[in-house]
Amino acid sequence: MSKIPSKVCQQIPYGQRRQPEITMNLERVPNEEKLSLCRKYYLGGFAFLPFLWLVNVVWFFREAFVKPAYTEQLQIKTYVKRSALGLLLWVAVLTTWITIFQHFRAQWGEVGDYLSFTIPLGIP
Amino acid sequence: MRPELAKTAIILIFSWLQNGAAGNSVEQKIYVELNHTVPCVRLLNATHQIGCQSSISGDTGVIHVLEAESDVDWVLSSGPNPPYMVLMEANFFNRAIMMRMKGSPRVAGVAVVIPKSGPPQGFSPHNSCPNEGTGVYSDSYGPELAGCNSTVWNPLGNSLSYENFNFPVFSLNDDNETEVIRKCFREHNVVRNGSSPQFPLCAMQLYSHMHAATDTVTCMRRNNIQNSFSVTPEVVCDAINDYNVWGSVHPLNNSAKGHKEGESVVIAAARIDGRSFFWDVAPSAEGAVAGFVTLLAAAHALRRVTVEAPPTRNILFTFFQGETFDYIGSSRMVYDMENGKFVINLDNIHSLLEIGQVGLRSGSRLWLHSDPVSRRRNSSVDAEVEKLVSNLQSVAKNLSLSLAEPNVSQPLPPSSFQRFLRARPIPGVVLADHQSAFNNRYYESVYDTAEHLQVTYPPGLSPEEQLEYVTDVAKDLAEVATLVARSLYLQANGSEANLPSITADPMTVTQMLYGFLVQSNNSWFQALTSPDGFTLEPHPLQYYVGVSGPPRPIKVTTRLVQYVLANLTGTATNLTQSQCQNPENLEGENKELWSYLWVRGSVSSNSSQGEAYCVRASVRLSKAVSPAFELQDYGSRDYSTWTESRWKLIRARIFLVASRELEMLTLGVGVAVLLVSLLVTYFISSKADLLFTSSREPTSTTY
C-alpha cells in the first residue's frame, strides 16, 4: 500500500515534469517570427491598448537587450523601447487622472457622480 | 486501491470543511449578539444629512459606562485605550455631552440605555421651532412671526435629532441584555486603584452603515444614475412617505376630481405621525395619538346625527401622515387640491378645525389658536374665524371646558393648517392644550408614551379588562371630542337643537387609546380590521412614518386609522365577501361614493371566530408623498424633501479584545510561520532529486 505513491513518482520522473511546454516559448521561435510578433504587439498597442505594450516590453526585454546580437535584434530593440515609452506615457496620464478624479470626485458633485462607474456608498 | 484512497481523502476534506462551516459555534463563543437594540439612522433633506452611521465594517471600541461627569473626561482625554464605545444612561444623553462626543476621534460609538419613563425636567431631541422652514410664516408672510421669533413652541427642544453624527448611536432597553454589558464592563474594564484596566477588555461593535450621503439631491441623483446605467441598480435612499386617511360625512364622488359644484366643506384635521432620535421609535402619545383619537371619537359622535339631521355643509375628516417631516401629508393634499387631483379643491373649503395636542390640558382650559396675519389682512376671514371661535365657545359652555384665545399677535403653532394658509387665506382654528409653549415635555421623544399621557390602569387587570376600563384621560378626551363634534356640526350649518344628542363615547375613546398606545393586538381592533394584511402586535405602536410603497406595505398605523374611521362612521352591510370586493353592479352600492372594507367582526361568547361582514364607509387613503418628489425638485424650499437612507446591516455585539501588542504579535508569528513554510517548501523542492530519488531506488527494486 505505502509503495503506491512512489510508483506514481516512478512513472513520471521528476525531471520530466518540469519540462512541459510553455506554449509561446520564445526560445523555440525563429528570429523572423520574433520580430513579426514584437511588431504586431507594438502596433496593436496604438489601439488604446497599453497592456499590449506592457506585454511586449516584458516579453521581449531579454531578446532585445540581453541576448547576443542577431540580425533582427536592432528592430526588436526599437519596438521594445517605443512600447516602453508609450507605456510610460499611459501610466503617467492614467495616474494623473486617477489622482485628480479620486481627489476631487466628491467636490465635483453631480459631474463626479456622472463620471463614476460605481458610486461608493455612504460617502459624499 | 487508488479510488478508495481518493474517497477517503474526499471524506476527510469534506468533514474538515463541515467543521469550518460549523465555525459559527466559534463565532458564538467569541461574540454576544445584542438583539434588542434600535439604531439611529441617516435621514436627508434638500441641504443636509442628519442621523448616524458607522463605517462599512462596523465601529468597535472598548466599552466605557458613563456614570459620572469624570467618566466623560476618561473617554475624551485620559483613558488609555481609545477609541471608546460609550454606554450611557439616558440622563447623560443631552446636547452638551453628545456634541463633545461628536467632536472627538476617541469615540467609536454611543449606546444609550432608555429607561421606562422620562426625566422629570423633560427631554425633547426635536427642534425648538418645529417645521419652521415649511410653515406659513416667512419673510413675506408675517416676518415678525417667522422662525418662532415671538413664541418658542418647544423650548425643551435640543435639536439632537437634527445633528449629524459620524459614529453609530444605538438605544438599548433597560433589561437583561444591558445587564450583560454592564457585567462585562465591571469584570474587565473598571479602573481599580487608579491603575488602568488590564487586557483583555470588553468591547462593543456597532454596525449601521448608511448608503446615502450628503443630501436628498445627491442621493436621488445616485438612485437615477444607478437605475439608468447600472446592471445591478442599488437604490441608496427612499422618499419618506405613506398615506393620508380621509373620510367625509356625505360621500364624495372619488372618480370626479377637482372642484365640486355646490359643495362646501368644513375640514377637521389631525396628524398621525411623530418621531424620536432613534429609527422607528415614536410612541407620540401626546404628539399625535391624543389628537387623532379625539378626532376619531368626534367623527363617531357625528355618525347618527348626520344621518338623521344632515347639516347642509359637508365635514371632511383628514388624518395627515408625515407632518413631522415638514408637513408631507398636508402639503400633498393641498397640492392635489390646487391641481385638481383631490375630490375637492380649495374653493370648496369653508373653514378648518385642527386638533393639535390636546391630551395634557391643565384644568378645563383649552386654547384656540388662529392666524393673526390672515385675520389682519382679510376682514372676511377674520369674521369667519370669529364665528368659528364663537361656535366653539358656545358649545363649550354646556361642557365642563373653558376655551380661550391666546394673545392676538401670537402665530399658529406648528400645524397642518399652516400649509392650507400658504395656499390661500382660509378661516380656521387649531385646538390645543397649550397657550404658547407645548405642555408636552417629551415632544417627539421616546418618552411620549402611554404613561406620559396617563393612560394607566389599576394593577391586576387582564388585557381584556384594561381594554374596557375607562381611564380619566379617556373621559377628558371624550369631552374634547364632544366639543369638536358639536362645533363641527354647528360649523356645517347643523341645527342647534340637535347638539345635545351629539356626545362622544368615553368607552370608544378608552378602547382606541388602549389599541393605539398600549397594544394593537386586542379584541376590539381584531374585530374592526380585515382578516389579512394586518399584523397586530402585543406592544405599543410606533408612529414614525417611514418608507412605504412597493414592495413595502402601507404603514400599519395608517391602515388602523382607516379601518377604525370606517367602522366608526360607516355602516355594516350584508354583502358577501366577493360582493364586498366588487360591489359594482349591485343596487344602491357605488364604488365611487364609498369604499368597501371586509372586517372580521367581533367574537361572540359561543364561537371562536367572529361574524365577518362588509363595512361601507366614505373613507379613503390618499398619497402622502411630498410634491417635491412628484415635481422631481429635490432641492425644494417649499415642500418636504426628507428621504431615509438605505442600509444592509444593523447589528450590535460585544466581545473581549486583546491588546494591540498581542494582536500584532499573533499576526507577526502567523506571517513568520508562513514565510518559514514557504522557504522550507522551496528548499525541499529544489533538493527534491536528492531527497526522493535515493529512497526510490530500493523500493523500485522490490517491485
Side-chain angles (χ1 to χ4, degrees):
Chain A
M1 276 267 272
S2 63
K3 285 165 194 165
I4 287 165
S6 58
K7 200 186 172 196
V8 174
C9 277
Q10 199 185 22
Q11 282 172 339
I12 309 164
Y14 188 75
Q16 269 181 31
R17 269 202 287 171
R18 220 168 46 168
Q19 282 299 339
E21 301 314 306
I22 301 161
T23 36
M24 288 302 278
N25 192 346
L26 281 182
E27 308 288 330
R28 310 198 158 197
V29 178
N31 287 343
E32 311 87 72
E33 214 162 304
K34 279 182 205 165
L35 177 61
S36 112
L37 255 177
C38 184
R39 189 181 146 77
K40 272 181 197 159
Y41 270 70
Y42 166 66
L43 292 177
F46 282 105
F48 302 103
L49 297 168
F51 271 96
L52 282 191
W53 283 338
L54 175 67
V55 170
N56 210 11
V57 170
V58 171
W59 204 12
F60 283 99
F61 188 82
R62 276 168 165 276
E63 292 294 328
F65 299 105
V66 182
K67 282 275 172 71
Y70 53 95
T71 348
E72 289 83 1
Q73 198 184 33
L74 206 67
Q75 268 179 293
I76 291 184
K77 222 179 238 179
T78 345
Y79 289 139
V80 170
K81 275 183 189 163
R82 288 185 189 173
S83 296
L85 196 73
L87 179 67
L88 269 179
L89 195 75
W90 267 97
V91 168
V93 169
L94 283 180
T95 321
T96 319
W97 167 245
I98 289 167
T99 315
I100 293 175
F101 178 74
Q102 291 300 336
H103 195 260
F104 291 103
R105 185 190 55 77
Q107 253 166 280
W108 290 340
E110 191 170 348
V111 180
D113 280 355
Y114 282 113
L115 286 178
S116 303
F117 186 71
T118 42
I119 298 172
L121 295 175
I123 54 172
Chain B
M1 247 357 191
R2 247 185 272 170
E4 248 170 69
L5 198 82
K7 220 186 239 171
T8 356
I10 286 171
I11 288 168
L12 259 172
I13 290 170
F14 194 71
S15 62
W16 178 77
L17 274 179
Q18 252 188 341
N19 261 337
N24 273 336
S25 69
V26 175
E27 192 180 330
Q28 279 163 18
K29 277 174 192 155
I30 297 174
Y31 297 108
V32 178
E33 293 286 334
L34 306 171
N35 298 319
H36 305 288
T37 58
V38 180
C40 144
V41 303
R42 177 173 286 173
L43 305 179
L44 310 99
N45 71 3
T47 50
H48 288 80
Q49 61 177 21
I50 61 167
C52 322
Q53 94 155 342
S54 75
S55 64
I56 198 157
S57 48
D59 286 346
T60 310
V62 173
I63 296 175
H64 196 80
V65 178
L66 288 198
E67 277 158 346
E69 204 58 37
S70 61
D71 290 321
V72 181
D73 295 327
W74 176 271
V75 168
L76 295 180
S77 53
S78 61
N81 312 110
Y84 283 100
M85 192 61 80
V86 182
L87 182 74
M88 55 166 76
E89 300 296 327
N91 56 325
F92 287 100
F93 186 58
N94 57 42
R95 187 173 181 86
I97 288 182
M98 285 307 285
M99 293 316 274
R100 283 177 72 188
M101 303 270 169
K102 184 181 167 179
S104 169
R106 291 168 56 94
V107 177
V110 170
V112 189
V113 183
I114 303 292
K116 287 270 179 298
S117 57
Q121 75 276 15
F123 173 79
S124 171
H126 210 73
N127 285 332
S128 58
C129 188
N131 290 353
E132 60 175 311
T134 41
V136 67
Y137 302 106
S138 65
D139 290 342
S140 55
Y141 192 97
E144 72 283 2
L145 307 172
C148 291
N149 263 347
S150 56
T151 318
V152 178
W153 298 107
N154 186 28
L156 291 165
N158 60 21
S159 303
L160 264 188
S161 294
Y162 290 89
E163 286 297 332
N164 179 49
F165 294 97
N166 286 320
F167 50 73
V169 180
F170 277 55
S171 85
L172 306 165
N173 295 327
D174 203 353
D175 58 12
N176 294 344
E177 237 172 49
T178 313
E179 205 35 60
V180 170
I181 304 173
R182 286 212 181 91
K183 191 164 159 257
C184 187
F185 170 75
R186 277 196 303 269
E187 283 172 5
H188 296 98
N189 298 6
V190 169
V191 187
R192 286 206 179 81
N193 317 328
S195 67
S196 50
Q198 296 296 307
F199 281 102
L201 295 174
C202 191
M204 190 190 295
Q205 185 172 34
L206 301 177
Y207 290 86
S208 64
H209 182 254
M210 298 289 138
H211 290 183
T214 316
D215 51 32
T216 293
V217 184
T218 305
C219 82
M220 290 307 285
R221 180 177 66 233
R222 290 181 178 179
N223 284 351
N224 290 340
I225 293 175
Q226 296 267 333
N227 273 329
S228 41
F229 296 117
S230 179
V231 196
T232 51
E234 184 151 25
V235 176
V236 294
C237 68
D238 302 282
I240 288 183
N241 77 93
D242 197 64
Y243 286 83
N244 296 324
V245 182
W246 63 267
S248 57
V249 158
H250 307 313
L252 292 163
N253 188 342
N254 193 45
S255 60
K257 308 282 184 187
H259 188 67
K260 288 261 191 317
E261 206 54 51
E263 192 81 56
S264 177
V265 176
V266 178
I267 293 183
R271 62 148 70 178
I272 52 172
D273 79 305
R275 70 169 298 205
S276 76
F277 185 82
F278 300 101
W279 178 70
D280 206 16
V281 179
S284 293
E286 161 75 345
V289 178
F292 77 70
V293 162
T294 304
L295 188 53
L296 285 169
H300 183 215
L302 283 167
R303 168 155 75 171
R304 227 184 55 218
V305 73
T306 48
V307 174
E308 286 165 4
T312 53
R313 294 200 183 98
N314 202 347
I315 301 170
L316 183 74
F317 304 101
T318 55
F319 298 84
F320 293 119
Q321 184 65 272
E323 296 297 276
T324 313
F325 295 98
D326 289 328
Y327 305 119
I328 295 173
S330 55
S331 65
R332 178 56 185 265
M333 190 174 279
V334 171
Y335 174 85
D336 283 348
M337 284 180 177
E338 283 173 325
N339 292 287
K341 290 177 188 162
F342 194 66
V343 286
I344 57 166
N345 72 1
L346 291 167
D347 295 325
N348 292 118
I349 300 175
H350 171 261
S351 54
L352 189 146
L353 174 62
E354 178 166 346
I355 322 298
Q357 305 184 63
V358 289
L360 294 174
R361 63 175 201 253
S362 47
S364 61
R365 178 150 286 197
L366 285 170
W367 297 88
L368 302 173
H369 298 267
S370 57
D371 172 43
V373 180
S374 59
R375 292 180 74 170
R376 197 172 58 220
R377 283 187 188 169
N378 190 327
S379 59
S380 70
V381 168
D382 189 38
E384 282 296 329
V385 175
E386 289 282 335
K387 224 176 110 193
L388 176 52
V389 169
S390 74
N391 274 345
L392 279 151
Q393 266 163 345
S394 72
V395 170
K397 261 185 219 130
N398 300 324
L399 300 163
S400 61
L401 289 169
S402 67
L403 300 180
E405 282 186 273
N407 179 338
V408 283
S409 63
Q410 183 175 293
L412 281 172
S415 51
S416 316
F417 179 36
Q418 293 199 17
R419 293 302 307 198
F420 286 84
L421 284 174
R422 265 177 90 115
R424 66 174 60 176
I426 289 167
V429 159
V430 176
L431 182 69
D433 58 13
H434 53 92
Q435 181 185 6
S436 54
F438 297 152
N439 290 352
N440 189 352
R441 285 170 301 146
Y442 304 130
Y443 188 69
E444 310 290 19
S445 82
V446 292
Y447 307 118
D448 191 4
T449 56
E451 287 82 47
H452 177 226
L453 201 62
Q454 250 113 70
V455 179
T456 45
Y457 302 92
L461 290 190
S462 71
E464 276 310 298
E465 287 165 340
Q466 289 185 345
L467 179 65
E468 308 274 308
Y469 179 85
V470 180
T471 53
D472 287 341
V473 67
K475 287 176 199 156
D476 289 350
L477 287 181
E479 200 155 37
V480 181
T482 308
L483 167 79
V484 171
R486 289 181 185 177
S487 312
L488 286 172
Y489 188 68
L490 274 188
Q491 195 63 16
N493 259 348
S495 151
E496 214 162 318
N498 293 322
L499 289 189
S501 67
I502 305 172
T503 333
D505 176 23
M507 177 57 87
T508 314
V509 174
T510 211
Q511 285 173 323
M512 283 194 274
L513 288 176
Y514 184 82
F516 284 116
L517 288 176
V518 182
Q519 61 167 331
S520 56
N521 189 12
N522 60 68
S523 59
W524 196 63
F525 271 12
Q526 278 162 7
L528 294 183
T529 52
S530 74
D532 38 53
F534 274 93
T535 41
L536 302 177
E537 280 164 8
H539 46 74
L541 291 164
Q542 304 299 338
Y543 294 90
Y544 169 69
V545 34
V547 176
S548 79
R552 284 179 258 197
I554 302 170
K555 194 166 167 55
V556 69
T557 54
T558 308
R559 299 245 287 147
L560 280 171
V561 169
Q562 176 199 10
Y563 272 76
V564 170
L565 181 65
N567 278 278
L568 294 182
T569 61
T571 43
T573 62
N574 46 17
L575 303 179
T576 64
Q577 188 166 8
S578 60
Q579 286 173 324
C580 194
Q581 273 160 4
N582 190 13
E584 212 56 22
N585 306 316
L586 296 168
E587 181 102 6
E589 308 299 346
N590 190 334
K591 246 186 149 171
E592 260 79 64
L593 290 182
W594 292 287
S595 55
Y596 295 82
L597 303 173
W598 187 251
V599 301
R600 263 181 285 220
S602 53
V603 177
S604 54
S605 52
N606 53 9
S607 72
S608 61
Q609 195 122 41
E611 191 86 358
Y613 59 92
C614 185
V615 171
R616 180 183 66 204
S618 160
V619 171
R620 288 178 198 280
L621 300 180
S622 75
K623 265 191 185 161
V625 184
S626 169
F629 295 95
E630 208 78 349
L631 300 164
Q632 304 198 344
D633 176 15
Y634 307 124
S636 175
R637 301 249 156 220
D638 297 324
Y639 296 113
S640 165
T641 48
W642 287 104
T643 48
E644 184 188 273
S645 172
R646 288 209 181 173
W647 60 82
K648 280 218 175 65
L649 181 65
I650 297 288
R651 179 188 214 183
R653 56 191 189 179
I654 58 170
F655 54 96
L656 294 177
V657 286
S659 67
R660 187 118 299 234
E661 292 81 52
L662 185 60
E663 279 176 358
M664 285 301 139
L665 186 69
T666 316
L667 182 67
V669 169
V671 171
V673 167
L674 176 73
L675 290 178
V676 167
S677 72
L678 285 177
L679 270 178
V680 168
T681 318
Y682 175 75
F683 278 117
I684 290 180
S685 99
S686 64
K687 304 281 178 218
D689 289 344
L690 253 166
L691 287 170
F692 296 111
T693 18
S694 54
S695 67
R696 197 182 63 198
E697 296 320 330
T699 54
S700 67
T701 50
T702 58
Y703 255 88

